[in-house]
Amino acid sequence: MESGLVASHRLRLPPLPSATAHAHLLRHRRLALAATPLRLPTTTPTPLRQPAALPLRPCLKPLRAASLASPAPAPAPDDSRKFLGVDLLTLKKIVPLGLMFFCILFNYTILRDTKDVLVVTAKGSSAEIIPFLKTWVNLPMAIGFMLLYSKLADVLSKEALFYTVIFPFIAFFGVFGYVLYPMRDAIHPTALADRLLASLGPSFLGPVAILRVWSFCLFYVMAELWGSVVISVLFWGFANQITTVEEAKEFYPLFGLGANVALIFSGRTVKYFSNMRQNLGPGVDGWAISLRGMMSIVVILGLVIASIYWGVNKFVIDKTSLPAVERKKKNKPKLSMGESLKVLVSSRYVRDLATLVVAYGISINLVEVTWKSKLKAQFPSPNEYSSFMGDFSTATGIATFTMMLLGRVIFRKFGWGVAATITPAVLLATGVGFFSLLLFGEPLTPLLAKFGMTPLLAAVFVGALQNIFSKSAKYSLFDPCKEMAYIPLDEDMKVKGKAAIDVVCNPLGKSGGALIQQFMILSFGSLANSTPYLGGILLVIVLAWLGAVRSLDSQFSSLAKEDLEREQTLKAETIETTAQVVGTGNGSLNGNGATPTNGAVIKPSQEPESTASEKSGQQSQ
């Protein structure tokens, strides 16, 4: 049956009395085509013309032709398939990212433990090298690397940049394990370092050791850069590139838990390779074999990371379907050093928050270097030192995993003040115990002997507990407390205060401890002679930290209360305004209002013109 529109058009066409005859003639010609040749008609029939007053709609004919010429489009693939309540497309991105993150953190734990073993237990070196190494080698190379990275980012694609950065790391660690470390006696200038130390004095043991074991120091720097470059820049940059905000909110916290699982397993791996020396014969360099095995794992997992990155870009990510979102740059002020200090001085709240950041960085550095010097005294062999660091990494992973689960409970039940106080309080308790064992451990020797320990071993265990808790508390308590403290501030102080802390306090906290230790070592001759003074400095810093927490808690509570009252007032005003517009609250409209056909509510002051004219007419009457 023809549509009404087509039928109406045909009714309006000029009458054709010979329409039936033409149809019969066409059927007759089709049957006779095979038997008779085609003959052109002698007369051309008059074409049908439409009336000028009633043209056909131009959309009819193309639509019918398109429907006849092309088949119905195939149904679009269903991208909403789910597994365990998660979209499959999301899982295709999150699972490889999680595996990448696991491999990166697994490598980082091995490298972090190995770098300390190399520079602390090396002949002619000690833990005194660490503060000089962090300040005068690690920091300049980190700055230079980031400048080079910025230049490469301007000329290379994102994929090429990823491979250009990660493959030199993989190659270096492989070359170090199989070439540089076996050749250490040939490439290290031991004789030159001995002459320098003899002329400069024992106070310069740390700076001279940087030259003496330069290849170990290069490994130390590359291991530190793996944590800052591969984790922070490469991985998180790639993750933020391919995930949406909703996916990040749901799965990024799981990456943190997965990182601690990697810490646990990598600690067991370090422990296994470090104990290989027990099964080797005399005269065999057990640490060289252990190092070769661990660097082989680092190289293999590095290639796995690159392969996952390639596979995700090749088979998972459709670059044509990625949303081209233009992100507006935040107006985050880049304050100079003087402007940052002015912001810090002008606000008591920001000063207290800055004290937290600086105190944490200095406290960790003061205890960590002193602890590592005692750790070498207790475990002078590289294999023994590395084996203990494997247990330390495993314990850190377990503690951090547990604290991340308990952190939410602490915040919910006890509030910001208690959560912010836990970190400095425990650091104070363990710090007092650690330095007391170092300074006054001799009278405790008989008591500790009953437990099979010496004062040195007890100090090593207490220092390990302090370092384990400090690392676990950073992610579960300290960082959330610090970020929550910015929330009640007004927008101007929130932006400027955070910028000031980033410019001044973060670098000061990281380098402050190292600078204090360098001054003490050069002044008193060694780290051991500086121990009493370092303990006193730690006590002062932690007490100042606790005072800042107490002061900040009172200010934070009042600002948070004002913020909550402001939100409640705004919410009440919104409800009142909505009630006035919509009705009395029971869903019925006010008698003075009306609802037009489009659903908009008309207030008494917004009456229709007809109603207003009728009222004016009634008033005139």
Side-chain angles (χ1 to χ4, degrees), residues 189-222:
T190 305
L192 176 61
D194 290 339
R195 291 195 298 269
L196 288 175
L197 186 61
S199 60
L200 295 176
S203 299
F204 288 85
L205 174 65
V208 173
I210 296 177
L211 176 64
R212 182 190 301 273
V213 290
W214 66 266
S215 66
F216 297 173
C217 296
L218 184 59
F219 184 95
Y220 188 99
V221 172
M222 293 295 286

PDB file of all heavy atoms in Angstrom, residues 189-222:
ATOM      1  N   PRO A 189      89.077   5.093  41.286  1.00  0.00           N
ATOM      2  CA  PRO A 189      90.387   5.704  41.598  1.00  0.00           C
ATOM      3  C   PRO A 189      90.718   5.605  43.089  1.00  0.00           C
ATOM      4  O   PRO A 189      90.726   6.606  43.822  1.00  0.00           O
ATOM      5  CB  PRO A 189      90.206   7.154  41.137  1.00  0.00           C
ATOM      6  CG  PRO A 189      88.750   7.427  41.321  1.00  0.00           C
ATOM      7  CD  PRO A 189      88.046   6.126  41.051  1.00  0.00           C
ATOM      8  N   THR A 190      91.017   4.417  43.542  1.00  0.00           N
ATOM      9  CA  THR A 190      91.237   4.206  44.968  1.00  0.00           C
ATOM     10  C   THR A 190      92.474   4.940  45.470  1.00  0.00           C
ATOM     11  O   THR A 190      92.458   5.565  46.552  1.00  0.00           O
ATOM     12  CB  THR A 190      91.376   2.703  45.254  1.00  0.00           C
ATOM     13  OG1 THR A 190      90.220   2.018  44.750  1.00  0.00           O
ATOM     14  CG2 THR A 190      91.497   2.444  46.745  1.00  0.00           C
ATOM     15  N   ALA A 191      93.574   4.906  44.710  1.00  0.00           N
ATOM     16  CA  ALA A 191      94.813   5.555  45.147  1.00  0.00           C
ATOM     17  C   ALA A 191      94.637   7.067  45.250  1.00  0.00           C
ATOM     18  O   ALA A 191      95.108   7.697  46.220  1.00  0.00           O
ATOM     19  CB  ALA A 191      95.944   5.209  44.173  1.00  0.00           C
ATOM     20  N   LEU A 192      93.955   7.670  44.270  1.00  0.00           N
ATOM     21  CA  LEU A 192      93.715   9.113  44.318  1.00  0.00           C
ATOM     22  C   LEU A 192      92.846   9.480  45.514  1.00  0.00           C
ATOM     23  O   LEU A 192      93.093  10.487  46.197  1.00  0.00           O
ATOM     24  CB  LEU A 192      93.051   9.553  43.018  1.00  0.00           C
ATOM     25  CG  LEU A 192      92.629  11.027  42.926  1.00  0.00           C
ATOM     26  CD1 LEU A 192      93.851  11.932  43.073  1.00  0.00           C
ATOM     27  CD2 LEU A 192      91.889  11.297  41.624  1.00  0.00           C
ATOM     28  N   ALA A 193      91.848   8.673  45.806  1.00  0.00           N
ATOM     29  CA  ALA A 193      90.970   8.948  46.947  1.00  0.00           C
ATOM     30  C   ALA A 193      91.739   8.840  48.262  1.00  0.00           C
ATOM     31  O   ALA A 193      91.509   9.632  49.188  1.00  0.00           O
ATOM     32  CB  ALA A 193      89.798   7.979  46.939  1.00  0.00           C
ATOM     33  N   ASP A 194      92.657   7.877  48.346  1.00  0.00           N
ATOM     34  CA  ASP A 194      93.455   7.754  49.571  1.00  0.00           C
ATOM     35  C   ASP A 194      94.320   8.987  49.793  1.00  0.00           C
ATOM     36  O   ASP A 194      94.464   9.475  50.934  1.00  0.00           O
ATOM     37  CB  ASP A 194      94.326   6.501  49.498  1.00  0.00           C
ATOM     38  CG  ASP A 194      93.499   5.213  49.584  1.00  0.00           C
ATOM     39  OD1 ASP A 194      92.363   5.291  50.093  1.00  0.00           O
ATOM     40  OD2 ASP A 194      93.982   4.168  49.111  1.00  0.00           O
ATOM     41  N   ARG A 195      94.939   9.519  48.733  1.00  0.00           N
ATOM     42  CA  ARG A 195      95.775  10.708  48.872  1.00  0.00           C
ATOM     43  C   ARG A 195      94.941  11.930  49.276  1.00  0.00           C
ATOM     44  O   ARG A 195      95.365  12.728  50.128  1.00  0.00           O
ATOM     45  CB  ARG A 195      96.508  10.979  47.555  1.00  0.00           C
ATOM     46  CG  ARG A 195      97.576   9.941  47.239  1.00  0.00           C
ATOM     47  CD  ARG A 195      98.510  10.434  46.152  1.00  0.00           C
ATOM     48  NE  ARG A 195      97.800  10.665  44.900  1.00  0.00           N
ATOM     49  CZ  ARG A 195      97.652   9.747  43.933  1.00  0.00           C
ATOM     50  NH1 ARG A 195      98.151   8.523  44.114  1.00  0.00           N
ATOM     51  NH2 ARG A 195      97.012  10.037  42.822  1.00  0.00           N
ATOM     52  N   LEU A 196      93.741  12.071  48.688  1.00  0.00           N
ATOM     53  CA  LEU A 196      92.874  13.188  49.051  1.00  0.00           C
ATOM     54  C   LEU A 196      92.429  13.105  50.499  1.00  0.00           C
ATOM     55  O   LEU A 196      92.410  14.118  51.223  1.00  0.00           O
ATOM     56  CB  LEU A 196      91.657  13.222  48.126  1.00  0.00           C
ATOM     57  CG  LEU A 196      91.885  13.675  46.686  1.00  0.00           C
ATOM     58  CD1 LEU A 196      90.593  13.537  45.867  1.00  0.00           C
ATOM     59  CD2 LEU A 196      92.363  15.127  46.667  1.00  0.00           C
ATOM     60  N   LEU A 197      92.071  11.916  50.953  1.00  0.00           N
ATOM     61  CA  LEU A 197      91.615  11.760  52.335  1.00  0.00           C
ATOM     62  C   LEU A 197      92.746  12.040  53.316  1.00  0.00           C
ATOM     63  O   LEU A 197      92.529  12.622  54.393  1.00  0.00           O
ATOM     64  CB  LEU A 197      91.068  10.343  52.540  1.00  0.00           C
ATOM     65  CG  LEU A 197      90.426  10.056  53.891  1.00  0.00           C
ATOM     66  CD1 LEU A 197      89.221  10.968  54.133  1.00  0.00           C
ATOM     67  CD2 LEU A 197      89.992   8.590  53.987  1.00  0.00           C
ATOM     68  N   ALA A 198      93.966  11.641  52.942  1.00  0.00           N
ATOM     69  CA  ALA A 198      95.101  11.895  53.825  1.00  0.00           C
ATOM     70  C   ALA A 198      95.400  13.382  53.927  1.00  0.00           C
ATOM     71  O   ALA A 198      95.816  13.872  55.003  1.00  0.00           O
ATOM     72  CB  ALA A 198      96.328  11.139  53.319  1.00  0.00           C
ATOM     73  N   SER A 199      95.181  14.122  52.854  1.00  0.00           N
ATOM     74  CA  SER A 199      95.476  15.555  52.883  1.00  0.00           C
ATOM     75  C   SER A 199      94.341  16.367  53.489  1.00  0.00           C
ATOM     76  O   SER A 199      94.595  17.389  54.146  1.00  0.00           O
ATOM     77  CB  SER A 199      95.769  16.063  51.466  1.00  0.00           C
ATOM     78  OG  SER A 199      94.635  15.847  50.616  1.00  0.00           O
ATOM     79  N   LEU A 200      93.090  15.947  53.287  1.00  0.00           N
ATOM     80  CA  LEU A 200      91.944  16.710  53.784  1.00  0.00           C
ATOM     81  C   LEU A 200      91.545  16.338  55.198  1.00  0.00           C
ATOM     82  O   LEU A 200      90.962  17.153  55.913  1.00  0.00           O
ATOM     83  CB  LEU A 200      90.735  16.506  52.848  1.00  0.00           C
ATOM     84  CG  LEU A 200      90.888  17.041  51.432  1.00  0.00           C
ATOM     85  CD1 LEU A 200      89.666  16.685  50.588  1.00  0.00           C
ATOM     86  CD2 LEU A 200      91.096  18.558  51.444  1.00  0.00           C
ATOM     87  N   GLY A 201      91.796  15.127  55.623  1.00  0.00           N
ATOM     88  CA  GLY A 201      91.438  14.701  56.962  1.00  0.00           C
ATOM     89  C   GLY A 201      90.214  13.800  56.965  1.00  0.00           C
ATOM     90  O   GLY A 201      89.452  13.726  55.993  1.00  0.00           O
ATOM     91  N   PRO A 202      89.977  13.072  58.071  1.00  0.00           N
ATOM     92  CA  PRO A 202      88.870  12.113  58.138  1.00  0.00           C
ATOM     93  C   PRO A 202      87.494  12.765  58.089  1.00  0.00           C
ATOM     94  O   PRO A 202      86.506  12.081  57.825  1.00  0.00           O
ATOM     95  CB  PRO A 202      89.096  11.399  59.467  1.00  0.00           C
ATOM     96  CG  PRO A 202      89.924  12.340  60.280  1.00  0.00           C
ATOM     97  CD  PRO A 202      90.777  13.080  59.307  1.00  0.00           C
ATOM     98  N   SER A 203      87.410  14.066  58.351  1.00  0.00           N
ATOM     99  CA  SER A 203      86.099  14.719  58.282  1.00  0.00           C
ATOM    100  C   SER A 203      85.527  14.704  56.868  1.00  0.00           C
ATOM    101  O   SER A 203      84.305  14.797  56.701  1.00  0.00           O
ATOM    102  CB  SER A 203      86.200  16.162  58.775  1.00  0.00           C
ATOM    103  OG  SER A 203      86.625  16.209  60.122  1.00  0.00           O
ATOM    104  N   PHE A 204      86.397  14.584  55.870  1.00  0.00           N
ATOM    105  CA  PHE A 204      85.959  14.602  54.476  1.00  0.00           C
ATOM    106  C   PHE A 204      85.830  13.187  53.902  1.00  0.00           C
ATOM    107  O   PHE A 204      85.965  13.001  52.686  1.00  0.00           O
ATOM    108  CB  PHE A 204      86.938  15.418  53.638  1.00  0.00           C
ATOM    109  CG  PHE A 204      86.864  16.892  53.893  1.00  0.00           C
ATOM    110  CD1 PHE A 204      87.586  17.457  54.940  1.00  0.00           C
ATOM    111  CD2 PHE A 204      86.068  17.709  53.116  1.00  0.00           C
ATOM    112  CE1 PHE A 204      87.524  18.813  55.200  1.00  0.00           C
ATOM    113  CE2 PHE A 204      85.989  19.067  53.361  1.00  0.00           C
ATOM    114  CZ  PHE A 204      86.723  19.618  54.411  1.00  0.00           C
ATOM    115  N   LEU A 205      85.560  12.218  54.779  1.00  0.00           N
ATOM    116  CA  LEU A 205      85.387  10.847  54.300  1.00  0.00           C
ATOM    117  C   LEU A 205      84.213  10.739  53.328  1.00  0.00           C
ATOM    118  O   LEU A 205      84.301  10.068  52.297  1.00  0.00           O
ATOM    119  CB  LEU A 205      85.173   9.912  55.499  1.00  0.00           C
ATOM    120  CG  LEU A 205      84.832   8.452  55.159  1.00  0.00           C
ATOM    121  CD1 LEU A 205      85.988   7.775  54.464  1.00  0.00           C
ATOM    122  CD2 LEU A 205      84.440   7.688  56.423  1.00  0.00           C
ATOM    123  N   GLY A 206      83.094  11.415  53.644  1.00  0.00           N
ATOM    124  CA  GLY A 206      81.917  11.346  52.779  1.00  0.00           C
ATOM    125  C   GLY A 206      82.141  11.936  51.407  1.00  0.00           C
ATOM    126  O   GLY A 206      81.892  11.266  50.384  1.00  0.00           O
ATOM    127  N   PRO A 207      82.628  13.198  51.286  1.00  0.00           N
ATOM    128  CA  PRO A 207      82.863  13.754  49.952  1.00  0.00           C
ATOM    129  C   PRO A 207      83.899  12.975  49.151  1.00  0.00           C
ATOM    130  O   PRO A 207      83.735  12.787  47.931  1.00  0.00           O
ATOM    131  CB  PRO A 207      83.348  15.178  50.256  1.00  0.00           C
ATOM    132  CG  PRO A 207      82.798  15.500  51.596  1.00  0.00           C
ATOM    133  CD  PRO A 207      82.794  14.205  52.341  1.00  0.00           C
ATOM    134  N   VAL A 208      84.965  12.506  49.793  1.00  0.00           N
ATOM    135  CA  VAL A 208      85.990  11.758  49.066  1.00  0.00           C
ATOM    136  C   VAL A 208      85.447  10.405  48.613  1.00  0.00           C
ATOM    137  O   VAL A 208      85.814   9.903  47.534  1.00  0.00           O
ATOM    138  CB  VAL A 208      87.244  11.580  49.951  1.00  0.00           C
ATOM    139  CG1 VAL A 208      88.253  10.652  49.285  1.00  0.00           C
ATOM    140  CG2 VAL A 208      87.879  12.936  50.224  1.00  0.00           C
ATOM    141  N   ALA A 209      84.546   9.813  49.400  1.00  0.00           N
ATOM    142  CA  ALA A 209      83.986   8.518  49.022  1.00  0.00           C
ATOM    143  C   ALA A 209      83.157   8.608  47.738  1.00  0.00           C
ATOM    144  O   ALA A 209      83.025   7.611  47.016  1.00  0.00           O
ATOM    145  CB  ALA A 209      83.133   7.967  50.160  1.00  0.00           C
ATOM    146  N   ILE A 210      82.594   9.782  47.441  1.00  0.00           N
ATOM    147  CA  ILE A 210      81.847   9.945  46.188  1.00  0.00           C
ATOM    148  C   ILE A 210      82.763   9.711  45.001  1.00  0.00           C
ATOM    149  O   ILE A 210      82.383   9.076  44.004  1.00  0.00           O
ATOM    150  CB  ILE A 210      81.204  11.349  46.128  1.00  0.00           C
ATOM    151  CG1 ILE A 210      80.164  11.498  47.240  1.00  0.00           C
ATOM    152  CG2 ILE A 210      80.558  11.589  44.767  1.00  0.00           C
ATOM    153  CD1 ILE A 210      79.542  12.884  47.298  1.00  0.00           C
ATOM    154  N   LEU A 211      84.001  10.229  45.087  1.00  0.00           N
ATOM    155  CA  LEU A 211      84.977   9.979  44.019  1.00  0.00           C
ATOM    156  C   LEU A 211      85.487   8.547  44.063  1.00  0.00           C
ATOM    157  O   LEU A 211      85.686   7.922  43.012  1.00  0.00           O
ATOM    158  CB  LEU A 211      86.145  10.956  44.164  1.00  0.00           C
ATOM    159  CG  LEU A 211      87.313  10.781  43.196  1.00  0.00           C
ATOM    160  CD1 LEU A 211      86.864  11.034  41.761  1.00  0.00           C
ATOM    161  CD2 LEU A 211      88.463  11.713  43.568  1.00  0.00           C
ATOM    162  N   ARG A 212      85.694   8.011  45.251  1.00  0.00           N
ATOM    163  CA  ARG A 212      86.273   6.677  45.388  1.00  0.00           C
ATOM    164  C   ARG A 212      85.379   5.612  44.755  1.00  0.00           C
ATOM    165  O   ARG A 212      85.871   4.715  44.066  1.00  0.00           O
ATOM    166  CB  ARG A 212      86.491   6.361  46.870  1.00  0.00           C
ATOM    167  CG  ARG A 212      87.131   5.014  47.120  1.00  0.00           C
ATOM    168  CD  ARG A 212      87.078   4.671  48.606  1.00  0.00           C
ATOM    169  NE  ARG A 212      87.761   5.650  49.427  1.00  0.00           N
ATOM    170  CZ  ARG A 212      89.063   5.613  49.707  1.00  0.00           C
ATOM    171  NH1 ARG A 212      89.816   4.640  49.234  1.00  0.00           N
ATOM    172  NH2 ARG A 212      89.595   6.549  50.484  1.00  0.00           N
ATOM    173  N   VAL A 213      84.067   5.682  44.977  1.00  0.00           N
ATOM    174  CA  VAL A 213      83.140   4.653  44.466  1.00  0.00           C
ATOM    175  C   VAL A 213      82.133   5.329  43.526  1.00  0.00           C
ATOM    176  O   VAL A 213      80.923   5.216  43.709  1.00  0.00           O
ATOM    177  CB  VAL A 213      82.440   3.916  45.628  1.00  0.00           C
ATOM    178  CG1 VAL A 213      83.417   3.039  46.381  1.00  0.00           C
ATOM    179  CG2 VAL A 213      81.787   4.906  46.583  1.00  0.00           C
ATOM    180  N   TRP A 214      82.637   6.004  42.505  1.00  0.00           N
ATOM    181  CA  TRP A 214      81.771   6.815  41.647  1.00  0.00           C
ATOM    182  C   TRP A 214      80.730   5.976  40.917  1.00  0.00           C
ATOM    183  O   TRP A 214      79.603   6.442  40.681  1.00  0.00           O
ATOM    184  CB  TRP A 214      82.622   7.592  40.649  1.00  0.00           C
ATOM    185  CG  TRP A 214      83.347   6.738  39.647  1.00  0.00           C
ATOM    186  CD1 TRP A 214      84.620   6.270  39.745  1.00  0.00           C
ATOM    187  CD2 TRP A 214      82.828   6.250  38.396  1.00  0.00           C
ATOM    188  NE1 TRP A 214      84.940   5.501  38.651  1.00  0.00           N
ATOM    189  CE2 TRP A 214      83.857   5.482  37.803  1.00  0.00           C
ATOM    190  CE3 TRP A 214      81.623   6.371  37.735  1.00  0.00           C
ATOM    191  CZ2 TRP A 214      83.703   4.842  36.571  1.00  0.00           C
ATOM    192  CZ3 TRP A 214      81.467   5.747  36.510  1.00  0.00           C
ATOM    193  CH2 TRP A 214      82.491   4.995  35.933  1.00  0.00           C
ATOM    194  N   SER A 215      81.054   4.740  40.542  1.00  0.00           N
ATOM    195  CA  SER A 215      80.066   3.913  39.836  1.00  0.00           C
ATOM    196  C   SER A 215      78.922   3.520  40.771  1.00  0.00           C
ATOM    197  O   SER A 215      77.759   3.448  40.347  1.00  0.00           O
ATOM    198  CB  SER A 215      80.741   2.669  39.250  1.00  0.00           C
ATOM    199  OG  SER A 215      81.218   1.814  40.274  1.00  0.00           O
ATOM    200  N   PHE A 216      79.226   3.285  42.048  1.00  0.00           N
ATOM    201  CA  PHE A 216      78.168   2.996  43.017  1.00  0.00           C
ATOM    202  C   PHE A 216      77.281   4.219  43.224  1.00  0.00           C
ATOM    203  O   PHE A 216      76.058   4.099  43.369  1.00  0.00           O
ATOM    204  CB  PHE A 216      78.776   2.555  44.348  1.00  0.00           C
ATOM    205  CG  PHE A 216      79.571   1.282  44.283  1.00  0.00           C
ATOM    206  CD1 PHE A 216      80.293   0.834  45.384  1.00  0.00           C
ATOM    207  CD2 PHE A 216      79.620   0.520  43.119  1.00  0.00           C
ATOM    208  CE1 PHE A 216      81.024  -0.339  45.333  1.00  0.00           C
ATOM    209  CE2 PHE A 216      80.366  -0.658  43.054  1.00  0.00           C
ATOM    210  CZ  PHE A 216      81.066  -1.074  44.159  1.00  0.00           C
ATOM    211  N   CYS A 217      77.915   5.400  43.244  1.00  0.00           N
ATOM    212  CA  CYS A 217      77.135   6.635  43.388  1.00  0.00           C
ATOM    213  C   CYS A 217      76.245   6.870  42.174  1.00  0.00           C
ATOM    214  O   CYS A 217      75.112   7.357  42.311  1.00  0.00           O
ATOM    215  CB  CYS A 217      78.072   7.823  43.593  1.00  0.00           C
ATOM    216  SG  CYS A 217      79.027   7.750  45.124  1.00  0.00           S
ATOM    217  N   LEU A 218      76.733   6.523  40.989  1.00  0.00           N
ATOM    218  CA  LEU A 218      75.905   6.646  39.795  1.00  0.00           C
ATOM    219  C   LEU A 218      74.710   5.697  39.870  1.00  0.00           C
ATOM    220  O   LEU A 218      73.590   6.058  39.487  1.00  0.00           O
ATOM    221  CB  LEU A 218      76.752   6.345  38.551  1.00  0.00           C
ATOM    222  CG  LEU A 218      76.060   6.510  37.200  1.00  0.00           C
ATOM    223  CD1 LEU A 218      75.554   7.934  37.012  1.00  0.00           C
ATOM    224  CD2 LEU A 218      77.014   6.120  36.068  1.00  0.00           C
ATOM    225  N   PHE A 219      74.942   4.489  40.384  1.00  0.00           N
ATOM    226  CA  PHE A 219      73.827   3.558  40.594  1.00  0.00           C
ATOM    227  C   PHE A 219      72.833   4.136  41.598  1.00  0.00           C
ATOM    228  O   PHE A 219      71.612   4.020  41.414  1.00  0.00           O
ATOM    229  CB  PHE A 219      74.364   2.216  41.099  1.00  0.00           C
ATOM    230  CG  PHE A 219      73.307   1.161  41.266  1.00  0.00           C
ATOM    231  CD1 PHE A 219      73.055   0.242  40.255  1.00  0.00           C
ATOM    232  CD2 PHE A 219      72.548   1.071  42.435  1.00  0.00           C
ATOM    233  CE1 PHE A 219      72.074  -0.739  40.408  1.00  0.00           C
ATOM    234  CE2 PHE A 219      71.572   0.109  42.590  1.00  0.00           C
ATOM    235  CZ  PHE A 219      71.333  -0.794  41.572  1.00  0.00           C
ATOM    236  N   TYR A 220      73.340   4.769  42.656  1.00  0.00           N
ATOM    237  CA  TYR A 220      72.478   5.382  43.670  1.00  0.00           C
ATOM    238  C   TYR A 220      71.571   6.435  43.029  1.00  0.00           C
ATOM    239  O   TYR A 220      70.362   6.481  43.277  1.00  0.00           O
ATOM    240  CB  TYR A 220      73.350   6.000  44.756  1.00  0.00           C
ATOM    241  CG  TYR A 220      72.607   6.516  45.963  1.00  0.00           C
ATOM    242  CD1 TYR A 220      72.525   5.764  47.116  1.00  0.00           C
ATOM    243  CD2 TYR A 220      71.991   7.766  45.951  1.00  0.00           C
ATOM    244  CE1 TYR A 220      71.851   6.235  48.242  1.00  0.00           C
ATOM    245  CE2 TYR A 220      71.308   8.242  47.054  1.00  0.00           C
ATOM    246  CZ  TYR A 220      71.243   7.475  48.193  1.00  0.00           C
ATOM    247  OH  TYR A 220      70.561   7.931  49.289  1.00  0.00           O
ATOM    248  N   VAL A 221      72.147   7.276  42.194  1.00  0.00           N
ATOM    249  CA  VAL A 221      71.367   8.339  41.562  1.00  0.00           C
ATOM    250  C   VAL A 221      70.351   7.760  40.588  1.00  0.00           C
ATOM    251  O   VAL A 221      69.187   8.199  40.548  1.00  0.00           O
ATOM    252  CB  VAL A 221      72.311   9.322  40.845  1.00  0.00           C
ATOM    253  CG1 VAL A 221      71.512  10.333  40.025  1.00  0.00           C
ATOM    254  CG2 VAL A 221      73.185  10.039  41.859  1.00  0.00           C
ATOM    255  N   MET A 222      70.747   6.778  39.787  1.00  0.00           N
ATOM    256  CA  MET A 222      69.808   6.179  38.836  1.00  0.00           C
ATOM    257  C   MET A 222      68.662   5.471  39.557  1.00  0.00           C
ATOM    258  O   MET A 222      67.520   5.492  39.091  1.00  0.00           O
ATOM    259  CB  MET A 222      70.544   5.203  37.924  1.00  0.00           C
ATOM    260  CG  MET A 222      71.540   5.853  36.978  1.00  0.00           C
ATOM    261  SD  MET A 222      70.745   6.931  35.766  1.00  0.00           S
ATOM    262  CE  MET A 222      70.003   5.717  34.678  1.00  0.00           C
TER     263      MET A 222
END
